[in-house]
């Protein structure tokens, strides 16, 4: 049983503000993180996407703010994610205390206008992407001596996207005495090295991931038998008819192909990828939240701003290159205690990619499409587990089965069947003769 927010000793006005936005009880990660942050502890929080990590730091930061100086910097790897955190902060702060000022400083927007706002009215919290925050510090735009906390959200992706140098500069530019908070669904080796370098020994690590995939999500691996993925995706969408579904693709080109195919099929679909201008992407995300589309085709980075509890289906058109990408994709569904379904398409030649994910803690249920429904698929390792006894076959038959062909000729299977038939006839004749 998780605690109520009123149990944490928070400002009563903040507790009342949380109730106004429908927050009464904390999630598991919030229950563990909030008391630590309130006490000023350095924390590393690892928890599934959709578990409430963002409010785990927003709530105690708001509780501890005074309204005079810049006190907190929050870093996220993408513009969409930065805007999402900003919106969460703004929603709560406007109810809690309208005098609190929150600012974003991100790429894809008017830099001079952002700087003007920050200089004119000093915010207490700045949220931004690593490069832009580094610019603020290197140009001495902001006063750093009162900064008491630094948050890095989605830390795994921040490192994987090559922002290590920017984060390194930011750390060195801020006061030595500051509270540090890292949050992520997974932690790469790069992340572990960085944590060891900058975090003190008394840092509290909270691992709220019992499994990488939430128990609310059916994580199915769909064997495609090498068939056209566009046709399979359309068929899966017809079978599930989700409230809101996201189709993930590894590349922009592939996302464009899937989007055009689904649009030509008269489905309510929209595409969101990195090549779409920032302003248009914000419009699309708002339209998605307003449920003007039933289906979204997305690349990994672009989808980071889609934080919607109503996503009931995720389809991976292909297997992502990195486990953290896979975890974040799947985490778009099954949020806030709701049930979700994740379908990952795989072709026979991708068995190695699947095995790598499984070795890294991802568990799949094997399925395939049959008669317009999802049915159980055989254990992919059954051939390895099954012991075959070819010793009773004649040498010619054994050689025919074992023979490897780069290109199977027409009639090859028929040839095997005929050979088996001849072999069985021969055995029957031998048995008959021996019984005489």
């Amino acid at each position: 049983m998780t605690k109520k927010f009123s149990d944490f000793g928070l400002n009563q006005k903040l507790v009342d503000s949380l109730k106004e936005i429908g927050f009464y009880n904390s999630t598991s990660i919030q229950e563990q993180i909030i008391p630590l942050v309130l006490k000023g502890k350095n924390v590393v929080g690892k928890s599934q996407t959709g578990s409430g990590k963002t409010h785990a730091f927003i709530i105690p930061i708001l509780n501890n703010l005074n309204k005079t100086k810049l006190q907190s910097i929050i870093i996220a790897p993408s513009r969409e994610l930065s805007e999402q955190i900003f919106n969460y902060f703004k929603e709560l702060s406007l109810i809690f205390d309208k005098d609190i000022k929150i600012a974003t400083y991100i790429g894809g927007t008017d830099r001079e206008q952002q700087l003007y706002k920050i200089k004119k009215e000093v915010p207490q919290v700045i949220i931004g992407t690593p490069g832009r925050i580094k610019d603020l510090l290197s140009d001495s735009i902001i006063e750093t001596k009162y900064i008491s906390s630094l948050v890095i959200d989605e830390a795994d992706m921040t490192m994987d996207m090559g922002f290590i140098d920017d984060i390194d500069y930011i750390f060195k530019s801020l006061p030595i005495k500051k509270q540090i908070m890292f949050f992520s669904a997974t932690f790469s080796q790069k992340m572990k090295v960085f944590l060891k370098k900058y975090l003190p020994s008394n840092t509290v690590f909270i691992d709220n991931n019992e499994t990488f995939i939430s128990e609310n999500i059916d994580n199915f691996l769909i064997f495609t038998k090498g068939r056209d993925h566009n046709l399979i995706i359309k068929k899966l969408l017809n079978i599930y008819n989700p409230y809101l579904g996201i189709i993930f693709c590894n590349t922009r080109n592939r996302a464009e192909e899937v989007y055009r195919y689904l649009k030509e099929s008269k489905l309510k679909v929209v595409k969101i990828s990195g090549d779409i201008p920032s302003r248009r992407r914000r419009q699309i995300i708002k339209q998605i939240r307003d449920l003007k589309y039933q289906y979204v085709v997305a690349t990994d980075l672009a989808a980071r701003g889609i934080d919607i509890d109503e996503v009931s289906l995720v389809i991976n058109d292909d297997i992502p290159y990195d486990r953290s990408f896979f975890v974040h994709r799947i985490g778009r569904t099954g949020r806030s205690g709701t049930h979700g379904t994740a379908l990952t398409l795989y072709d026979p030649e991708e068995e190695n990619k699947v095995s790598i994910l499984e070795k890294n803690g991802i568990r799949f249920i094997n399925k395939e499409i049959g008669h317009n429904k999802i049915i159980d698929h055989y254990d992919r390792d059954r051939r390895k587990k099954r012991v075959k006894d070819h010793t009773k076959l004649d040498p010619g038959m054994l050689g025919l089965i074992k023979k490897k062909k780069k290109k199977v000729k027409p009639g090859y299977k028929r040839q095997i069947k005929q050979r088996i038939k001849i072999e069985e006839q021969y055995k029957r004749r031998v048995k008959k003769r021996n019984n005489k």
Side-chain angles (χ1 to χ4, degrees):
M1 182 71 179
T2 54
K3 290 184 177 181
K4 295 180 179 179
F5 288 107
S6 55
D7 295 334
F8 295 122
L10 296 167
N11 183 310
Q12 186 57 47
K13 190 177 179 182
L14 180 55
V15 174
D16 294 339
S17 302
L18 286 165
K19 289 178 181 178
E20 283 198 42
I21 62 172
F23 283 35
Y24 297 92
N25 298 318
S26 61
T27 65
S28 178
I29 187 68
Q30 290 165 1
E31 182 179 343
Q32 295 175 82
I33 292 291
I34 290 174
L36 296 171
V37 179
L38 289 173
K39 292 176 183 177
K41 299 284 187 181
N42 296 313
V43 297
V44 175
K46 181 183 175 187
S47 187
Q48 295 163 351
T49 301
S51 59
K53 292 192 300 293
T54 308
H55 280 91
F57 62 80
I58 287 178
I59 292 168
I61 285 176
L62 279 177
N63 189 82
N64 293 343
L65 279 182
N66 64 56
K67 292 173 283 186
T68 56
K69 305 289 183 181
L70 171 61
Q71 296 149 67
S72 186
I73 290 180
I74 298 165
I75 296 171
S78 70
R79 292 170 288 185
E80 288 77 19
L81 202 60
S82 298
E83 289 177 336
Q84 177 183 302
I85 296 169
F86 171 78
N87 290 331
Y88 284 159
F89 253 111
K90 205 69 179 173
E91 178 188 36
L92 191 53
S93 65
L94 284 175
I95 303 170
F96 173 51
D97 191 333
K98 292 181 180 179
D99 292 332
I100 291 175
K101 302 173 187 68
I102 317 291
T104 54
Y105 194 58
I106 57 178
T109 52
D110 190 323
R111 182 176 184 272
E112 295 305 317
Q113 186 178 13
Q114 285 181 332
L115 287 177
Y116 174 77
K117 287 182 179 179
I118 290 173
K119 290 177 180 178
K120 182 181 178 182
E121 200 170 52
V122 177
Q124 284 80 60
V125 179
I126 290 181
I127 304 159
T129 46
R132 280 295 178 94
I133 296 296
K134 178 186 175 183
D135 289 345
L136 277 179
L137 296 171
S138 61
D139 294 342
S140 301
I141 302 297
I142 56 176
E143 190 174 20
T144 62
K145 64 180 179 179
Y146 296 105
I147 294 175
S148 57
S149 65
L150 171 67
V151 178
I152 299 180
D153 196 21
E154 301 292 4
D156 55 346
M157 180 159 276
T158 303
M159 298 300 163
D160 290 340
M161 289 173 64
F163 291 125
I164 289 182
D165 290 342
D166 291 338
I167 299 296
D168 188 70
Y169 183 92
I170 292 166
F171 258 87
K172 292 176 180 177
S173 302
L174 298 182
I176 295 175
K177 190 176 180 180
K178 59 184 175 293
Q179 185 178 24
I180 304 166
M181 291 169 263
F182 282 81
F183 295 91
S184 188
T186 62
F187 279 103
S188 62
Q189 189 57 40
K190 288 180 184 176
M191 188 74 249
K192 291 174 183 177
V193 172
F194 189 86
L195 293 176
K196 188 176 181 180
K197 179 179 179 181
Y198 283 102
L199 287 174
S201 58
N202 63 348
T203 298
V204 181
F205 286 77
I206 300 296
D207 188 343
N208 200 50
N209 271 341
E210 293 182 3
T211 59
F212 289 110
I213 306 300
S214 168
E215 60 184 16
N216 297 324
I217 300 172
D218 290 331
N219 188 32
F220 295 158
L221 187 66
I222 306 294
F223 183 52
T224 65
K225 301 179 181 177
R227 291 176 295 183
D228 184 272
H229 277 213
N230 288 346
L231 293 172
I232 292 173
I233 289 170
K234 183 181 176 182
K235 197 164 190 176
L236 290 170
L237 296 180
N238 288 332
I239 291 171
Y240 281 93
N241 189 26
Y243 189 72
L244 178 62
I246 302 179
I247 300 99
F248 281 101
C249 302
N250 282 352
T251 66
R252 294 176 184 175
N253 289 339
R254 178 57 188 150
E256 179 67 19
E257 289 175 17
V258 174
Y259 165 70
R260 288 188 177 279
Y261 178 80
L262 297 180
K263 190 175 182 181
E264 288 169 3
S265 301
K266 309 301 181 185
L267 298 180
K268 293 175 67 176
V269 61
V270 69
K271 182 191 73 168
I272 180 166
S273 59
D275 57 337
I276 297 173
S278 180
R279 184 175 180 181
R280 175 57 184 151
R281 283 160 71 184
R282 288 196 295 272
Q283 290 173 345
I284 290 172
I285 289 176
K286 184 180 184 304
Q287 290 170 340
I288 293 169
R289 289 193 176 121
D290 293 339
L291 301 177
K292 292 186 177 181
Y293 299 100
Q294 187 177 6
Y295 306 109
V296 181
V297 180
T299 53
D300 287 287
L301 299 186
R304 285 307 179 97
I306 306 174
D307 186 30
I308 306 170
D309 291 341
E310 289 83 0
V311 176
S312 58
L313 178 69
V314 166
I315 297 178
N316 290 318
D317 169 63
D318 35 28
I319 298 173
Y321 306 115
D322 187 273
R323 184 191 66 183
S324 64
F325 278 48
F326 183 87
V327 172
H328 283 290
R329 287 183 180 189
I330 303 303
R332 297 299 100 191
T333 189
R335 301 169 72 90
S336 301
T338 61
H339 180 267
T341 302
L343 310 173
T344 299
L345 310 185
Y346 95 103
D347 296 318
E349 63 269 19
E350 294 181 301
E351 178 61 40
N352 186 50
K353 290 183 180 179
V354 176
S355 297
I356 290 172
L357 285 175
E358 288 178 325
K359 288 177 182 176
N360 281 280
I362 305 298
R363 296 290 172 261
F364 292 103
I365 300 173
N366 298 302
K367 298 285 184 176
E368 62 179 320
I369 305 173
H371 304 294
N372 293 317
K373 63 180 180 180
I374 302 301
I375 60 175
D376 291 335
H377 183 53
Y378 59 77
D379 180 358
R380 300 193 325 277
D381 295 328
R382 81 194 193 289
R383 291 174 181 167
K384 297 176 184 177
K385 295 174 181 176
R386 186 170 62 203
V387 178
K388 297 183 179 180
D389 184 6
H390 293 305
T391 58
K392 294 181 181 179
L393 297 177
D394 70 295
M397 186 67 195
L398 186 60
L400 189 62
I401 292 174
K402 286 187 174 181
K403 189 174 182 181
K404 293 181 180 179
K405 292 179 177 289
K406 293 182 179 179
K407 186 175 181 181
V408 177
K409 295 180 180 179
Y412 178 66
K413 290 182 179 179
R414 186 174 66 251
Q415 188 180 359
I416 292 179
K417 288 180 180 179
Q418 288 173 345
R419 192 60 182 265
I420 291 173
K421 187 177 180 181
I422 293 170
E423 179 74 12
E424 288 175 346
Q425 288 174 345
Y426 172 76
K427 287 180 179 179
R428 282 197 300 269
R429 287 198 302 269
V430 170
K431 185 178 180 180
K432 187 177 181 181
R433 185 183 62 196
N434 290 338
N435 290 334
K436 287 182 178 180

